[in-house]
Amino acid sequence: MMRLFEIYLNDLNDEAKENYLDFRGVKDPAELNADIAPVCVIERSDDDETDVKGD
């Protein structure tokens, strides 16, 4: 089974939002659907045996 961690534009601080939009070359997040869709999705399998503690 896969676990997902999604980051949305609203999760970012104002400076990071501006940097993301500049990087994508737009002024309005609606142009990317970034106002409703995640800007990043990180997947992880439940059978990953990586130990986050101590890394």
Side-chain angles (χ1 to χ4, degrees), residues 20-37:
Y20 176 74
L21 295 176
D22 286 344
F23 175 77
R24 296 296 306 263
V26 299
K27 294 289 183 196
D28 184 2
E31 293 180 58
L32 304 171
N33 289 331
D35 51 340
I36 57 171

Side-chain angles (χ1 to χ4, degrees), residues 2-28:
M2 296 296 291
R3 295 175 58 196
L4 299 178
F5 181 78
E6 297 176 337
I7 300 172
Y8 289 85
L9 194 67
N10 286 335
D11 293 326
L12 305 176
N13 65 29
D14 290 338
E15 182 180 358
K17 288 178 189 177
E18 184 177 326
N19 289 338
Y20 176 74
L21 295 176
D22 286 344
F23 175 77
R24 296 296 306 263
V26 299
K27 294 289 183 196
D28 184 2

Side-chain angles (χ1 to χ4, degrees), residues 29-45:
E31 293 180 58
L32 304 171
N33 289 331
D35 51 340
I36 57 171
V39 296
C40 179
V41 177
I42 302 170
E43 295 182 10
R44 178 177 169 211
S45 174

